[in-house]
Amino acid sequence: MRPLSILLVLTAAIGVSASPYINTNRLDNPKIHAYFDKEVPVALDVLRDDIGGPSIGADPGVLITLIPEPDHPDYNIFWLRDACLGYLGWLGELELSNDPHSPLRALVDDAVHALIRTQHLINPSGNIFTGGLEEALFDLHIDLITINSWRIGSPAADGPPLRAVVLLKYADWLLRPEQNNGTWVADVLWPAINLDLQWIAGHWNASSWDLWWPPVWGGSYWTSSVQYRALRAGARLSREIGRVVDTAGYDGIASTVLDYTKSFWNPEKGYMTETTITNVSEGGRSGIGCAPLTVSVLNYDPTLGCDSATFQPCSDRALSSLKVVGDAFKELFPINKGLQEQFPFFGFFLEDQLYGGQVQYFASFNVAEQIFDALDTWDRLGELEVTSVSLKFFRDFDKTIRIGKYKRGSSTYERLKTVLNKYAENTIISLAERTPSDFIIPLVMDKVTGKPIPPRGALRSQVAVLGAHNAYNHVIPPSWANGRAPKRLGKQVPCNYGDEEGQFPVGL
């Protein structure tokens, strides 16, 4: 059995107790174990102390995208998108601890207050009725950013759904019997959540700036995917707290948004395109990039199985897209040509020129996370399915594989599981070899040499490390779609939440 380094780190570093809803039957890899034991505490420290709150002169709850640098005041910006990813990282660790007295709880409370303040600030994008909810950036004190050159990319339509997703995830935690905070959820959190949901419901099909730099104005797969999650999870929460009257029509709108996300699929080449603006000669993009990959791990829900519509990690479309986009980055980045028995390093998108168009640490960690999540889901389902869509992905690992279902325990299933796990582990080891000596991971590495490139301490990179680490340790997140922990067959261990018996099945 592999020791749970994340739980040991949390217990020792910030005094939280472990809630074992983790399956540890993955064989120990000493290199990965040693790397995470050093890297995870640093990532947590960066997220807690180095890029947010009073320690950097910011208001409580404020997170910025990078460790501040005196020569780059433009780094000292509260980008709503990145901050929400950081908050989701905090919430993931709070779920692990299930400790209402954890120091993480205070951080999350500060984040909630900061997010609610962003909703009510009249800003260059408007007020809560005219577009202000889509304002993407604020200063360290949640005030206006008025320098136009810094505001490229705002307003952004992913702001309201990401903010809602954070608040919804916290609401679910607060509704657990141990917290029993339903009144506060209904009276304080729900009005803020529904403010964003109302905006999404009325504006989901409007064009917006996308998430990369420089941004393009159009439809965004990333934005539509988080809009769908927010609407569906919000409608589900409203039923749980008796506020259904507020959400009439949200489920129907969510289904419409989900149908819209399917329009981004490129059936000829087998990948999910990032944007509707795909004319490169006129300033658009090829549409090949890592945003759908990040959607896959962000919206991972173990109760949804290998659902292609929501781009679950083991779905045929997510795997096919991983193959196609990975092959494109393999050709683009010289460093990828020398890698063996691992997945290629990913960048933002093919036309990216930020910092010279380099390898992105966060996206490359996301690749391993997707595979670990897929392996866990197949084990829970008891089978792996190869379709005409995913065939080319699996052919990279078994040249003779055919379309069909392969039961757990069969020679084909176990062979594929072994080789995919090996490739994902080797990807982590390769990233470890290219991690700075202080373990503070930057945003990018050189696409030729593999050397880390400043600036230091990118928020997305720290969150991606935690995500890959938890996926490696079989952390099973709660369901955002169904509001409960997934059922699994097999060995059971005591757990502080889950089904009625207080047990959560984790072993198979």
Side-chain angles (χ1 to χ4, degrees), residues 169-226:
K169 192 172 182 67
Y170 192 32
D172 285 337
W173 186 80
L174 290 171
L175 288 174
R176 291 183 188 175
E178 299 79 18
Q179 280 62 256
N180 193 26
N181 254 329
T183 300
W184 195 79
V185 169
D187 293 346
V188 178
L189 281 187
W190 177 251
I193 292 168
N194 197 41
L195 189 62
D196 280 326
L197 297 182
Q198 288 174 327
W199 182 263
I200 298 166
H203 299 83
W204 66 267
N205 60 347
S207 293
S208 172
W209 296 111
D210 78 342
L211 76 167
W212 299 141
W213 192 270
V216 293
W217 182 268
S220 164
Y221 178 71
W222 161 268
T223 297
S224 297
S225 296
V226 292

Side-chain angles (χ1 to χ4, degrees), residues 71-129:
D71 296 334
H72 290 277
D74 52 318
Y75 293 171
N76 295 336
I77 291 177
F78 177 28
W79 275 95
L80 187 60
R81 175 186 305 121
D82 291 75
C84 285
L85 295 176
Y87 301 150
L88 289 172
W90 284 351
L91 281 164
E93 305 308 321
L94 185 61
E95 288 170 343
L96 273 174
S97 75
N98 204 29
D99 178 8
H101 304 294
S102 165
L104 281 170
R105 172 72 180 275
L107 291 176
V108 173
D109 283 338
D110 286 342
V112 168
H113 296 148
L115 287 176
I116 293 175
R117 286 175 61 191
T118 65
Q119 290 180 314
H120 295 278
L121 178 70
I122 298 175
N123 55 66
S125 298
N127 58 37
I128 59 173
F129 305 108

Side-chain angles (χ1 to χ4, degrees), residues 438-454:
D438 62 3
F439 290 91
I440 297 178
I441 301 181
L443 186 65
V444 299
M445 75 168 73
D446 190 282
K447 60 189 173 185
V448 177
T449 67
K451 292 182 179 180
I453 298 175

Side-chain angles (χ1 to χ4, degrees), residues 13-85:
I14 54 178
V16 299
S17 62
S19 176
Y21 63 113
I22 301 175
N23 178 14
T24 57
N25 64 6
R26 196 185 306 282
L27 294 178
D28 184 24
N29 187 313
K31 290 183 178 180
I32 295 180
H33 181 70
Y35 174 63
F36 279 143
D37 277 354
K38 294 179 179 178
E39 179 56 54
V40 169
V42 174
L44 286 168
D45 283 344
V46 171
L47 287 173
R48 188 174 60 242
D49 299 324
D50 295 338
I51 59 173
S55 63
I56 64 166
D59 282 6
V62 168
L63 283 179
I64 64 173
T65 58
L66 299 156
I67 291 177
E69 294 188 13
D71 296 334
H72 290 277
D74 52 318
Y75 293 171
N76 295 336
I77 291 177
F78 177 28
W79 275 95
L80 187 60
R81 175 186 305 121
D82 291 75
C84 285
L85 295 176

Side-chain angles (χ1 to χ4, degrees), residues 12 74 101 115 155 319 370 373 384 415 455:
D74 52 318
H101 304 294
L115 287 176
L319 294 172
Q370 178 184 342
D373 288 341
L384 176 159
R415 184 170 61 252

Side-chain angles (χ1 to χ4, degrees), residues 287-337:
I288 296 177
C290 72
L293 162 65
T294 303
V295 165
S296 181
V297 297
L298 178 74
N299 283 352
Y300 171 45
D301 184 323
T303 69
L304 297 180
C306 296
D307 178 53
S308 286
T310 54
F311 217 58
Q312 292 302 298
C314 62
S315 67
D316 54 1
R317 287 189 172 186
L319 294 172
S320 175
S321 195
L322 187 69
K323 153 76 174 170
V324 173
V325 177
D327 284 351
F329 282 122
K330 187 182 296 185
E331 291 299 314
L332 182 66
F333 295 149
I335 191 174
N336 279 332
K337 295 179 172 60

